[in-house]
Amino acid sequence: MEYMTTAPTSAAAPGPAGTDEPRWLSAEEQRVWRSYIEASTLLEDHLDRQLQRDAGMPHLYYSLLVKLAEAPERRLRMTELAMLAKITRSRLSHAVARLEKSGWVRRENCPSDKRGQFAVLTDEGFEVLRRNAPGHVEAVRQAFLDRLTPEQQKALGEIMEIVAEGLQPSEAGADLPWLR
Amino acid sequence: MEYMTTAPTSAAAPGPAGTDEPRWLSAEEQRVWRSYIEASTLLEDHLDRQLQRDAGMPHLYYSLLVKLAEAPERRLRMTELAMLAKITRSRLSHAVARLEKSGWVRRENCPSDKRGQFAVLTDEGFEVLRRNAPGHVEAVRQAFLDRLTPEQQKALGEIMEIVAEGLQPSEAGADLPWLR
DNA sequence: GCTTTTTACTTGAAACCTCAACCTCTAGCT
DNA sequence: AGCTAGAGGTTGAGGTTTCAAGTAAAAAGC
Protein backbone atom coordinates (compact mmCIF):
# COMPACT_ATOMS: atom_id res chain seq x y z
CA MET A 1 0.00 0.00 0.00
CA GLU A 2 2.38 2.65 1.14
CA TYR A 3 5.92 3.57 0.25
CA MET A 4 6.54 0.57 -1.83
CA THR A 5 7.17 -1.36 1.29
CA THR A 6 5.26 -4.21 -0.20
CA ALA A 7 6.05 -6.08 -3.39
CA PRO A 8 5.78 -3.85 -6.49
CA THR A 9 3.66 -6.36 -8.29
CA SER A 10 1.17 -8.33 -6.27
CA ALA A 11 3.25 -11.39 -7.12
CA ALA A 12 5.50 -12.80 -4.42
CA ALA A 13 3.99 -15.28 -2.03
CA PRO A 14 4.95 -14.85 1.63
CA GLY A 15 7.27 -17.84 1.65
CA PRO A 16 10.89 -16.93 0.96
CA ALA A 17 11.66 -17.79 -2.64
CA GLY A 18 14.98 -19.18 -3.79
CA THR A 19 16.45 -15.71 -4.16
CA ASP A 20 16.29 -14.03 -0.77
CA GLU A 21 13.05 -12.12 -1.06
CA PRO A 22 12.95 -8.75 0.70
CA ARG A 23 11.08 -8.71 3.97
CA TRP A 24 8.06 -6.75 2.78
CA LEU A 25 5.92 -5.09 5.38
CA SER A 26 2.90 -6.85 6.76
CA ALA A 27 -0.46 -5.15 6.62
CA GLU A 28 -0.15 -3.92 10.19
CA GLU A 29 3.38 -2.72 9.71
CA GLN A 30 2.29 -0.76 6.71
CA ARG A 31 -0.53 0.80 8.62
CA VAL A 32 1.88 1.95 11.29
CA TRP A 33 4.41 3.29 8.86
CA ARG A 34 1.78 5.06 6.81
CA SER A 35 0.20 6.78 9.79
CA TYR A 36 3.58 7.81 11.01
CA ILE A 37 4.52 9.45 7.73
CA GLU A 38 1.18 11.13 7.29
CA ALA A 39 1.00 12.51 10.77
CA SER A 40 4.56 13.71 10.81
CA THR A 41 4.10 15.44 7.46
CA LEU A 42 0.97 17.15 8.61
CA LEU A 43 2.42 18.13 11.95
CA GLU A 44 5.58 19.60 10.55
CA ASP A 45 3.61 21.58 8.04
CA HIS A 46 1.22 22.78 10.65
CA LEU A 47 3.91 24.07 12.98
CA ASP A 48 5.91 25.58 10.17
CA ARG A 49 2.90 27.56 9.13
CA GLN A 50 2.03 28.57 12.66
CA LEU A 51 5.49 29.93 13.29
CA GLN A 52 5.96 31.42 9.87
CA ARG A 53 2.75 33.33 10.31
CA ASP A 54 3.27 34.42 13.91
CA ALA A 55 7.02 34.65 14.30
CA GLY A 56 8.22 35.03 10.74
CA MET A 57 10.41 31.96 10.64
CA PRO A 58 10.12 28.21 10.12
CA HIS A 59 9.95 25.76 12.95
CA LEU A 60 13.59 24.77 12.75
CA TYR A 61 14.79 28.34 13.05
CA TYR A 62 12.61 28.90 16.04
CA SER A 63 14.04 25.82 17.68
CA LEU A 64 17.54 27.15 17.09
CA LEU A 65 16.69 30.32 18.93
CA VAL A 66 15.25 28.26 21.75
CA LYS A 67 18.38 26.20 22.11
CA LEU A 68 20.44 29.34 22.26
CA ALA A 69 18.12 30.82 24.84
CA GLU A 70 18.63 27.82 27.05
CA ALA A 71 22.38 27.69 26.70
CA PRO A 72 24.68 29.33 29.22
CA GLU A 73 25.35 32.90 28.11
CA ARG A 74 22.78 32.30 25.38
CA ARG A 75 25.55 31.17 23.09
CA LEU A 76 26.63 27.93 21.49
CA ARG A 77 29.37 26.79 19.20
CA MET A 78 28.10 26.16 15.69
CA THR A 79 28.92 22.50 15.74
CA GLU A 80 27.27 21.94 19.06
CA LEU A 81 24.15 23.75 17.99
CA ALA A 82 24.06 21.64 14.86
CA MET A 83 24.29 18.48 16.90
CA LEU A 84 21.62 19.57 19.33
CA ALA A 85 19.30 20.39 16.47
CA LYS A 86 20.19 17.23 14.58
CA ILE A 87 21.09 19.05 11.41
CA THR A 88 24.20 19.40 9.27
CA ARG A 89 26.68 22.18 9.81
CA SER A 90 26.00 23.45 6.37
CA ARG A 91 22.31 23.80 7.00
CA LEU A 92 23.05 25.56 10.23
CA SER A 93 25.45 27.94 8.55
CA HIS A 94 22.78 29.05 6.14
CA ALA A 95 20.18 29.24 8.86
CA VAL A 96 22.33 31.36 11.13
CA ALA A 97 23.13 33.63 8.22
CA ARG A 98 19.44 34.27 7.83
CA LEU A 99 18.82 34.69 11.54
CA GLU A 100 21.68 37.12 11.66
CA LYS A 101 20.14 39.12 8.86
CA SER A 102 16.93 39.24 10.85
CA GLY A 103 18.85 40.51 13.86
CA TRP A 104 17.99 37.60 16.12
CA VAL A 105 21.40 36.00 16.27
CA ARG A 106 24.91 37.34 16.10
CA ARG A 107 28.15 35.49 15.43
CA GLU A 108 31.18 35.78 17.64
CA ASN A 109 34.65 34.39 17.34
CA CYS A 110 35.82 31.79 19.75
CA PRO A 111 38.89 33.08 21.55
CA SER A 112 40.35 29.68 22.28
CA ASP A 113 39.94 28.26 18.77
CA LYS A 114 40.36 30.63 15.89
CA ARG A 115 38.32 28.40 13.61
CA GLY A 116 35.41 28.41 16.00
CA GLN A 117 32.31 30.53 15.96
CA PHE A 118 29.67 31.15 18.54
CA ALA A 119 26.10 31.78 17.62
CA VAL A 120 24.72 34.23 20.17
CA LEU A 121 21.08 35.04 20.75
CA THR A 122 20.49 38.79 20.62
CA ASP A 123 18.07 40.62 22.89
CA GLU A 124 15.84 41.08 19.90
CA GLY A 125 15.97 37.36 19.32
CA PHE A 126 15.02 36.70 22.88
CA GLU A 127 12.13 39.11 22.58
CA VAL A 128 10.79 37.30 19.54
CA LEU A 129 10.91 34.12 21.53
CA ARG A 130 9.12 35.59 24.51
CA ARG A 131 6.40 37.01 22.33
CA ASN A 132 5.80 33.79 20.45
CA ALA A 133 6.36 31.11 23.02
CA PRO A 134 2.79 31.13 24.37
CA GLY A 135 1.25 30.75 20.94
CA HIS A 136 3.66 28.04 20.02
CA VAL A 137 3.12 25.96 23.14
CA GLU A 138 -0.57 26.26 22.56
CA ALA A 139 -0.14 25.03 19.00
CA VAL A 140 1.96 22.07 20.11
CA ARG A 141 -0.59 21.20 22.72
CA GLN A 142 -3.63 21.37 20.56
CA ALA A 143 -2.10 19.56 17.61
CA PHE A 144 -0.23 17.00 19.59
CA LEU A 145 0.12 16.60 23.32
CA ASP A 146 -3.40 17.36 24.40
CA ARG A 147 -4.73 14.69 22.07
CA LEU A 148 -2.80 11.93 23.78
CA THR A 149 -3.30 10.23 27.10
CA PRO A 150 -0.40 10.31 29.55
CA GLU A 151 0.28 6.66 28.77
CA GLN A 152 0.39 7.37 25.07
CA GLN A 153 2.75 10.24 25.67
CA LYS A 154 5.00 8.04 27.71
CA ALA A 155 4.98 5.28 25.10
CA LEU A 156 5.66 7.74 22.31
CA GLY A 157 8.57 9.26 24.16
CA GLU A 158 10.16 5.87 24.60
CA ILE A 159 9.57 4.90 21.01
CA MET A 160 11.04 8.04 19.57
CA GLU A 161 14.04 7.79 21.81
CA ILE A 162 14.76 4.34 20.47
CA VAL A 163 14.45 5.55 16.91
CA ALA A 164 16.66 8.56 17.50
CA GLU A 165 19.27 6.45 19.19
CA GLY A 166 19.54 4.25 16.16
CA LEU A 167 20.12 7.15 13.83
CA GLN A 168 22.63 9.29 15.67
CA PRO A 169 26.04 9.40 14.03
CA SER A 170 27.00 7.05 16.87
CA GLU A 171 28.20 10.05 18.81
CA ALA A 172 30.36 8.58 21.53
CA GLY A 173 29.02 11.71 23.12
CA ALA A 174 31.30 12.40 26.00
CA ASP A 175 33.81 14.45 24.11
CA LEU A 176 32.69 18.00 23.69
CA PRO A 177 35.76 20.02 24.59
CA TRP A 178 33.84 23.28 24.66
CA LEU A 179 31.75 22.08 27.56
CA ARG A 180 34.72 22.46 29.85
CA MET B 1 14.18 23.00 27.70
CA GLU B 2 13.02 22.50 24.22
CA TYR B 3 11.18 24.60 21.71
CA MET B 4 10.40 27.35 24.08
CA THR B 5 7.56 25.35 25.38
CA THR B 6 8.49 26.45 28.82
CA ALA B 7 8.62 29.99 30.13
CA PRO B 8 11.27 32.09 28.33
CA THR B 9 12.70 33.36 31.56
CA SER B 10 12.76 31.00 34.48
CA ALA B 11 10.23 33.32 36.11
CA ALA B 12 6.61 32.17 36.21
CA ALA B 13 5.58 29.94 39.08
CA PRO B 14 3.29 27.02 38.21
CA GLY B 15 0.21 28.66 39.68
CA PRO B 16 -1.84 30.63 37.14
CA ALA B 17 -1.04 34.29 37.58
CA GLY B 18 -3.59 37.05 37.20
CA THR B 19 -3.09 37.21 33.46
CA ASP B 20 -3.89 33.80 32.05
CA GLU B 21 -0.47 32.22 31.97
CA PRO B 22 0.22 29.89 29.03
CA ARG B 23 0.13 26.22 29.86
CA TRP B 24 3.86 25.55 29.60
CA LEU B 25 4.94 21.99 29.13
CA SER B 26 5.83 19.85 32.10
CA ALA B 27 9.21 18.18 32.22
CA GLU B 28 7.77 14.91 30.92
CA GLU B 29 5.82 16.61 28.18
CA GLN B 30 8.95 18.35 27.06
CA ARG B 31 10.85 15.13 27.00
CA VAL B 32 8.23 13.57 24.77
CA TRP B 33 8.03 16.50 22.43
CA ARG B 34 11.78 16.79 22.20
CA SER B 35 12.30 13.13 21.39
CA TYR B 36 9.58 13.28 18.83
CA ILE B 37 11.14 16.20 17.00
CA GLU B 38 14.62 14.79 17.14
CA ALA B 39 13.68 11.36 15.95
CA SER B 40 11.46 12.60 13.18
CA THR B 41 14.15 14.97 11.95
CA LEU B 42 16.74 12.23 11.95
CA LEU B 43 14.45 9.73 10.31
CA GLU B 44 13.33 12.00 7.52
CA ASP B 45 16.91 12.92 6.79
CA HIS B 46 17.98 9.34 6.84
CA LEU B 47 15.38 8.19 4.36
CA ASP B 48 15.85 11.17 2.13
CA ARG B 49 19.51 10.36 1.87
CA GLN B 50 18.90 6.69 1.32
CA LEU B 51 16.54 7.34 -1.54
CA GLN B 52 18.45 10.22 -3.01
CA ARG B 53 21.51 8.04 -3.14
CA ASP B 54 19.87 4.87 -4.42
CA ALA B 55 16.92 6.10 -6.44
CA GLY B 56 17.88 9.65 -7.28
CA MET B 57 14.93 11.33 -5.64
CA PRO B 58 13.80 12.46 -2.19
CA HIS B 59 11.48 10.44 -0.02
CA LEU B 60 8.39 12.39 -0.90
CA TYR B 61 8.87 11.88 -4.62
CA TYR B 62 9.33 8.20 -4.10
CA SER B 63 6.12 8.04 -2.14
CA LEU B 64 4.30 9.77 -4.96
CA LEU B 65 5.43 7.10 -7.38
CA VAL B 66 4.29 4.45 -4.94
CA LYS B 67 0.84 5.93 -4.63
CA LEU B 68 0.54 6.01 -8.36
CA ALA B 69 1.71 2.41 -8.62
CA GLU B 70 -1.03 1.35 -6.26
CA ALA B 71 -3.79 3.30 -7.94
CA PRO B 72 -6.06 1.72 -10.54
CA GLU B 73 -4.50 2.21 -13.96
CA ARG B 74 -1.47 3.63 -12.16
CA ARG B 75 -2.99 7.06 -12.47
CA LEU B 76 -4.43 9.62 -10.10
CA ARG B 77 -5.92 13.06 -10.35
CA MET B 78 -3.53 15.73 -9.12
CA THR B 79 -5.76 16.81 -6.30
CA GLU B 80 -6.32 13.32 -5.09
CA LEU B 81 -2.65 12.53 -5.16
CA ALA B 82 -1.97 15.69 -3.21
CA MET B 83 -4.50 14.67 -0.59
CA LEU B 84 -3.14 11.18 -0.30
CA ALA B 85 0.36 12.50 0.14
CA LYS B 86 -0.78 15.24 2.52
CA ILE B 87 0.85 18.01 0.56
CA THR B 88 -0.34 21.14 -1.20
CA ARG B 89 -1.30 21.14 -4.83
CA SER B 90 1.42 23.61 -5.56
CA ARG B 91 4.07 21.39 -4.12
CA LEU B 92 2.70 18.50 -6.08
CA SER B 93 2.69 20.49 -9.29
CA HIS B 94 6.38 21.21 -8.94
CA ALA B 95 7.14 17.67 -7.91
CA VAL B 96 5.31 16.14 -10.84
CA ALA B 97 7.05 18.54 -13.17
CA ARG B 98 10.35 17.18 -11.97
CA LEU B 99 9.24 13.56 -12.09
CA GLU B 100 8.02 14.16 -15.61
CA LYS B 101 11.41 15.54 -16.56
CA SER B 102 12.96 12.38 -15.18
CA GLY B 103 10.58 10.30 -17.25
CA TRP B 104 8.91 8.56 -14.34
CA VAL B 105 5.54 10.25 -14.58
CA ARG B 106 3.51 11.61 -17.43
CA ARG B 107 0.54 13.99 -17.37
CA GLU B 108 -2.71 13.29 -19.10
CA ASN B 109 -5.82 15.37 -19.51
CA CYS B 110 -9.00 14.31 -17.84
CA PRO B 111 -11.66 13.77 -20.49
CA SER B 112 -14.59 14.49 -18.20
CA ASP B 113 -13.20 17.67 -16.67
CA LYS B 114 -11.11 19.88 -18.86
CA ARG B 115 -9.42 21.49 -15.87
CA GLY B 116 -8.33 18.12 -14.58
CA GLN B 117 -5.03 16.38 -14.97
CA PHE B 118 -3.96 12.85 -14.31
CA ALA B 119 -0.51 11.97 -13.15
CA VAL B 120 0.37 8.63 -14.67
CA LEU B 121 3.24 6.37 -13.67
CA THR B 122 5.35 5.44 -16.66
CA ASP B 123 6.90 2.02 -17.14
CA GLU B 124 10.22 3.57 -16.43
CA GLY B 125 8.81 4.95 -13.21
CA PHE B 126 7.55 1.54 -12.26
CA GLU B 127 10.93 0.06 -12.96
CA VAL B 128 12.65 2.53 -10.67
CA LEU B 129 10.23 1.52 -8.00
CA ARG B 130 10.81 -2.16 -8.48
CA ARG B 131 14.55 -1.72 -8.37
CA ASN B 132 14.52 0.36 -5.22
CA ALA B 133 11.71 -1.08 -3.18
CA PRO B 134 13.78 -3.79 -1.51
CA GLY B 135 16.45 -1.36 -0.38
CA HIS B 136 13.88 1.04 0.87
CA VAL B 137 11.90 -1.47 2.90
CA GLU B 138 15.12 -2.60 4.42
CA ALA B 139 15.97 0.97 5.36
CA VAL B 140 12.57 1.53 6.91
CA ARG B 141 12.89 -1.68 8.86
CA GLN B 142 16.32 -1.12 10.22
CA ALA B 143 15.79 2.51 11.13
CA PHE B 144 12.29 2.15 12.44
CA LEU B 145 10.07 -0.91 12.55
CA ASP B 146 12.57 -3.52 13.55
CA ARG B 147 13.56 -1.47 16.56
CA LEU B 148 10.08 -1.55 18.03
CA THR B 149 8.13 -4.32 19.70
CA PRO B 150 4.77 -5.24 18.19
CA GLU B 151 3.06 -3.47 21.09
CA GLN B 152 5.05 -0.34 20.47
CA GLN B 153 4.19 -0.47 16.81
CA LYS B 154 0.53 -0.80 17.62
CA ALA B 155 0.63 2.06 20.10
CA LEU B 156 2.51 4.27 17.68
CA GLY B 157 0.04 3.58 14.92
CA GLU B 158 -2.84 4.61 17.11
CA ILE B 159 -1.07 7.70 18.32
CA MET B 160 -0.15 8.92 14.88
CA GLU B 161 -3.64 8.29 13.61
CA ILE B 162 -5.01 10.52 16.31
CA VAL B 163 -2.55 13.25 15.49
CA ALA B 164 -3.24 13.03 11.77
CA GLU B 165 -6.94 13.13 12.32
CA GLY B 166 -6.65 16.37 14.21
CA LEU B 167 -4.75 18.04 11.40
CA GLN B 168 -6.61 17.03 8.30
CA PRO B 169 -8.42 19.89 6.58
CA SER B 170 -11.52 18.26 8.10
CA GLU B 171 -12.07 16.46 4.82
CA ALA B 172 -15.65 15.30 5.03
CA GLY B 173 -14.06 12.68 2.85
CA ALA B 174 -16.91 11.04 1.06
CA ASP B 175 -16.99 13.40 -1.85
CA LEU B 176 -14.47 12.56 -4.48
CA PRO B 177 -16.44 12.63 -7.71
CA TRP B 178 -13.63 11.08 -9.75
CA LEU B 179 -13.87 7.92 -7.76
CA ARG B 180 -17.21 7.24 -9.41
C1' DG C 1 -28.89 32.33 -20.51
C1' DC C 2 -25.63 34.94 -17.95
C1' DT C 3 -23.08 36.29 -14.01
C1' DT C 4 -20.68 34.86 -9.83
C1' DT C 5 -18.35 31.71 -7.13
C1' DT C 6 -15.59 27.53 -6.73
C1' DT C 7 -12.65 24.14 -8.11
C1' DA C 8 -8.44 22.44 -10.45
C1' DC C 9 -4.25 23.31 -11.39
C1' DT C 10 0.06 26.14 -12.64
C1' DT C 11 3.46 29.66 -12.26
C1' DG C 12 7.43 32.63 -10.59
C1' DA C 13 9.93 34.48 -7.14
C1' DA C 14 11.95 34.07 -2.82
C1' DA C 15 13.25 31.20 0.89
C1' DC C 16 15.29 26.99 2.20
C1' DC C 17 18.12 22.66 1.97
C1' DT C 18 21.75 19.50 0.13
C1' DC C 19 25.97 18.32 -1.59
C1' DA C 20 30.60 18.79 -2.75
C1' DA C 21 34.31 21.77 -2.69
C1' DC C 22 36.84 24.84 -0.11
C1' DC C 23 39.63 27.57 3.50
C1' DT C 24 41.58 28.03 7.89
C1' DC C 25 43.29 26.44 11.95
C1' DT C 26 44.45 22.65 15.39
C1' DA C 27 46.57 18.56 16.86
C1' DG C 28 49.36 14.83 16.26
C1' DC C 29 53.26 13.01 14.33
C1' DT C 30 58.37 12.81 13.58
C1' DA D 1 60.25 23.15 13.82
C1' DG D 2 57.78 21.21 9.91
C1' DC D 3 54.23 18.23 7.88
C1' DT D 4 50.01 16.22 7.62
C1' DA D 5 45.43 14.67 8.86
C1' DG D 6 41.50 16.11 10.57
C1' DA D 7 38.16 19.49 12.76
C1' DG D 8 35.32 23.78 12.43
C1' DG D 9 32.99 26.29 9.52
C1' DT D 10 31.50 28.56 5.04
C1' DT D 11 30.23 28.89 0.19
C1' DG D 12 27.75 28.43 -4.26
C1' DA D 13 25.15 25.93 -7.31
C1' DG D 14 21.27 23.41 -8.03
C1' DG D 15 17.15 21.18 -6.35
C1' DT D 16 12.94 21.72 -3.42
C1' DT D 17 9.27 24.21 -1.00
C1' DT D 18 6.26 28.07 0.03
C1' DC D 19 3.37 31.77 -0.86
C1' DA D 20 0.64 34.72 -3.47
C1' DA D 21 -1.15 35.42 -7.72
C1' DG D 22 -2.88 33.72 -12.03
C1' DT D 23 -5.69 30.99 -15.73
C1' DA D 24 -9.30 28.26 -17.12
C1' DA D 25 -13.23 25.51 -16.69
C1' DA D 26 -17.27 23.79 -13.84
C1' DA D 27 -21.15 24.80 -10.70
C1' DA D 28 -24.34 27.65 -8.55
C1' DG D 29 -27.30 31.56 -8.47
C1' DC D 30 -30.73 34.23 -10.51
Side-chain angles (χ1 to χ4, degrees):
Chain A
M1 243 267 270
E2 178 83 13
Y3 279 72
M4 207 55 138
T5 42
T6 156
T9 65
S10 43
T19 64
D20 46 347
E21 181 74 8
R23 296 161 52 227
W24 302 115
L25 302 193
S26 70
E28 310 89 66
E29 286 171 326
Q30 283 182 66
R31 231 184 100 273
V32 173
W33 180 231
R34 173 172 75 23
S35 359
Y36 172 80
I37 291 294
E38 292 187 357
S40 64
T41 304
L42 288 167
L43 188 51
E44 247 295 294
D45 264 43
H46 182 69
L47 293 181
D48 265 341
R49 267 190 246 296
Q50 186 263 313
L51 284 170
Q52 190 71 263
R53 170 168 50 74
D54 297 350
M57 72 189 112
H59 187 199
L60 173 72
Y61 288 32
Y62 184 87
S63 82
L64 294 176
L65 298 191
V66 171
K67 285 179 205 308
L68 290 176
E70 292 163 353
E73 299 261 351
R74 291 185 190 162
R75 79 183 48 217
L76 245 19
R77 287 287 294 270
M78 293 297 278
T79 296
E80 193 181 8
L81 183 47
M83 292 195 326
L84 289 174
K86 266 71 189 166
I87 61 176
T88 63
R89 294 204 205 99
S90 172
R91 187 175 176 185
L92 180 62
S93 243
H94 288 296
V96 166
R98 195 279 221 184
L99 290 171
E100 211 171 7
K101 212 167 296 179
S102 304
W104 298 329
V105 166
R106 142 177 53 92
R107 284 183 221 246
E108 262 179 42
N109 298 359
C110 175
S112 63
D113 184 339
K114 278 173 200 160
R115 297 165 301 178
Q117 289 274 103
F118 281 102
V120 187
L121 185 64
T122 64
D123 289 352
E124 253 194 282
F126 190 77
E127 249 317 284
V128 171
L129 233 35
R130 157 142 63 225
R131 269 203 308 281
N132 288 287
H136 182 56
V137 197
E138 197 40 53
V140 170
R141 282 203 173 283
Q142 79 93 34
F144 191 68
L145 289 170
D146 284 358
R147 299 183 175 278
L148 306 178
T149 67
E151 299 79 46
Q152 287 178 317
Q153 293 185 8
K154 178 154 177 288
L156 183 60
E158 285 164 8
I159 289 168
M160 296 313 259
E161 245 156 53
I162 292 172
V163 172
E165 209 173 306
L167 291 168
Q168 307 275 21
S170 91
E171 182 181 14
D175 41 52
L176 301 181
W178 329 295
L179 291 181
R180 209 134 313 118
Chain B
M1 242 268 269
E2 178 84 13
Y3 278 70
M4 205 55 135
T5 42
T6 156
T9 64
S10 43
T19 65
D20 47 348
E21 182 74 8
R23 296 162 52 227
W24 303 115
L25 302 194
S26 70
E28 310 90 65
E29 286 171 326
Q30 284 182 65
R31 233 183 98 275
V32 174
W33 180 232
R34 173 171 76 25
S35 0
Y36 172 80
I37 291 294
E38 291 187 357
S40 64
T41 304
L42 289 167
L43 188 51
E44 249 294 294
D45 262 43
H46 182 68
L47 294 181
D48 265 342
R49 268 190 246 296
Q50 186 262 314
L51 284 170
Q52 190 70 48
R53 169 168 51 74
D54 297 350
M57 72 191 111
H59 187 200
L60 173 71
Y61 289 32
Y62 185 86
S63 82
L64 295 175
L65 298 191
V66 172
K67 285 180 205 308
L68 290 176
E70 293 164 352
E73 300 262 349
R74 292 187 190 160
R75 78 184 47 218
L76 245 18
R77 285 288 295 269
M78 294 296 278
T79 297
E80 193 181 7
L81 181 48
M83 291 194 327
L84 288 174
K86 266 70 190 168
I87 61 176
T88 63
R89 292 202 202 106
S90 172
R91 187 175 175 185
L92 180 63
S93 244
H94 289 296
V96 167
R98 196 276 222 187
L99 290 172
E100 212 171 7
K101 211 168 295 178
S102 304
W104 298 330
V105 166
R106 142 176 53 92
R107 283 182 221 247
E108 263 179 42
N109 298 1
C110 176
S112 63
D113 184 338
K114 278 172 199 159
R115 297 165 303 180
Q117 289 274 102
F118 282 102
V120 187
L121 186 64
T122 64
D123 289 351
E124 251 194 285
F126 190 78
E127 249 315 285
V128 172
L129 234 33
R130 158 144 59 228
R131 269 204 308 280
N132 289 286
H136 183 54
V137 197
E138 196 41 52
V140 170
R141 281 202 174 286
Q142 77 94 36
F144 190 68
L145 289 170
D146 284 359
R147 299 183 174 279
L148 306 178
T149 67
E151 299 78 46
Q152 288 178 317
Q153 293 185 9
K154 178 154 176 289
L156 183 59
E158 286 164 8
I159 289 169
M160 295 315 258
E161 246 156 50
I162 292 172
V163 172
E165 210 174 303
L167 291 168
Q168 307 274 22
S170 91
E171 182 180 14
D175 41 50
L176 301 181
W178 330 296
L179 292 181
R180 213 131 307 117

